[in-house]
Amino acid sequence: MSQSVRSARPNVPSQRLKMRRELAAAAMELFATKGYEETTVDEIAAAAGVARRTFFRHFRSKEEAIFPDHDDTLERAKAVLDAAPAHENPLDTVCRGIKEVMRMYAASPAVSVERYRLTREVPTLREREIASVARYERLFTRYLLGHFDESAVAHRDGDEDGLDEPLLAEVAASAVVTAHNHVLRRWLRAGGQGDVEAQLDRAFATVRRTFGTGFVAGRAAADLPAASAGASGTGWAAGREGEVLVTVARADAPLDQVMRAIEEALRRG
């Protein structure tokens, strides 16, 4: 397996993105050699071979200049959510969406490692990256909030123990982003080495186990009135009818997950 996360899209950047990356490379080089505070926008533009006005067509300030890909990556993540298969658990969709962010970093490990070093050293750059991450989190929160499984979320009027749907959506989205960032930082501290895709999948498995039963694919909760279909695609249902054990699983769920669901149902029955 490759050490980077592969994207299904061909890596053919637009002219706009190409220019943004050239400006970013110039900015990072100057920040590293001269220092962030000592570097001016005019110097960044000159190093990239363009006019000052060209710089400001692409970035509002010099702290934005080392993050050329976030806008495009946010759009790709949104496209993943918009094109999600009807049967896919929404939390799985969000995990796939944020992999677009990891692909952005993994596409240029050396650049990502250097940018990580700069953001750790310059508070202004670190604040800018935090603001960028918050945009992904808001996107995923809105998506999850629109895909609640009302049969799994036992909320009733006057029930103080009922789950707060907006809270669960925000916490779940935050968990996905936190898992991604944890793996990303570990990968960057290792110099961009290692199987980051496998690390990310393991982290997402933890998130799915914790939050996977609160959301439903395609808003079809009513189709499973006695079951909670989790992110693994399996769940235990109804219990026993006489001596018959009823379980529910997606048709594409792996066999080992189906077997675990049956074992869990037997324990609970």
Side-chain angles (χ1 to χ4, degrees):
M1 183 182 295
S2 170
Q3 291 186 348
S4 65
V5 179
R6 295 188 182 92
S7 176
R9 298 168 177 263
N11 187 23
V12 184
S14 65
Q15 286 300 111
R16 169 183 167 277
L17 186 55
K18 182 174 181 292
M19 184 73 261
R20 286 170 65 87
R21 288 175 176 172
E22 289 175 359
L23 286 165
M28 288 181 62
E29 177 67 22
L30 287 167
F31 292 166
T33 56
K34 290 191 62 176
Y36 171 77
E37 296 294 343
E38 291 74 20
T39 298
T40 67
V41 167
D42 287 333
E43 289 171 328
I44 296 171
V50 300
R52 173 187 174 91
R53 64 179 178 275
T54 300
F55 176 92
F56 283 112
R57 279 203 295 267
H58 293 277
F59 301 107
R60 289 173 297 181
S61 62
K62 67 179 183 179
E63 61 263 26
E64 287 188 2
I66 68 168
F67 306 108
D69 300 281
H70 275 307
D71 288 348
D72 290 76
T73 302
L74 187 68
E75 288 303 312
R76 289 198 300 274
K78 184 176 183 299
V80 170
L81 305 187
D82 291 342
H87 68 273
E88 185 172 49
N89 185 283
L91 198 59
D92 288 337
T93 306
V94 167
C95 289
R96 287 197 304 109
I98 203 171
K99 278 190 174 183
E100 293 294 333
V101 185
M102 185 63 82
R103 290 186 180 107
M104 175 188 72
Y105 286 96
S108 303
V111 172
S112 297
V113 169
E114 176 59 20
R115 182 166 49 211
Y116 176 63
R117 185 189 67 78
L118 284 170
T119 56
R120 291 184 68 190
E121 294 177 355
V122 182
T124 302
L125 297 179
R126 185 162 58 250
E127 290 168 5
R128 172 58 57 183
E129 181 147 52
I130 290 170
S132 297
V133 169
R135 295 168 66 193
Y136 298 111
E137 194 166 319
R138 287 193 296 271
L139 172 67
F140 299 143
T141 298
R142 288 195 300 270
Y143 183 79
L144 291 176
L145 189 55
H147 290 79
F148 263 92
D149 181 352
E150 295 180 0
S151 70
V153 180
H155 181 78
R156 296 290 184 271
D157 292 339
D159 180 4
E160 295 183 357
D161 294 328
L163 293 177
D164 183 327
E165 295 180 8
L167 175 62
L168 179 58
E170 187 169 348
V171 171
S174 178
V176 171
V177 173
T178 298
H180 168 274
N181 292 346
H182 176 83
V183 171
L184 175 61
R185 285 193 299 270
R186 187 165 54 195
W187 179 74
L188 291 170
R189 287 195 295 266
Q193 302 296 315
D195 191 341
V196 68
E197 182 175 4
Q199 295 174 39
L200 197 58
D201 286 339
R202 285 194 295 271
F204 287 161
T206 299
V207 174
R208 290 185 183 100
R209 285 194 299 270
T210 306
F211 297 102
T213 58
F215 309 96
V216 65
R219 300 175 179 267
D223 295 337
L224 297 175
S228 294
S232 65
T234 60
W236 65 278
R240 297 179 186 272
E241 296 177 4
E243 292 301 317
V244 178
L245 175 67
V246 180
T247 61
V248 177
R250 280 205 316 250
D252 59 350
L255 180 60
D256 63 326
Q257 292 179 355
V258 176
M259 294 304 296
R260 284 199 298 272
I262 293 172
E263 291 173 359
E264 181 182 356
L266 286 169
R267 286 197 301 271
R268 297 192 182 202

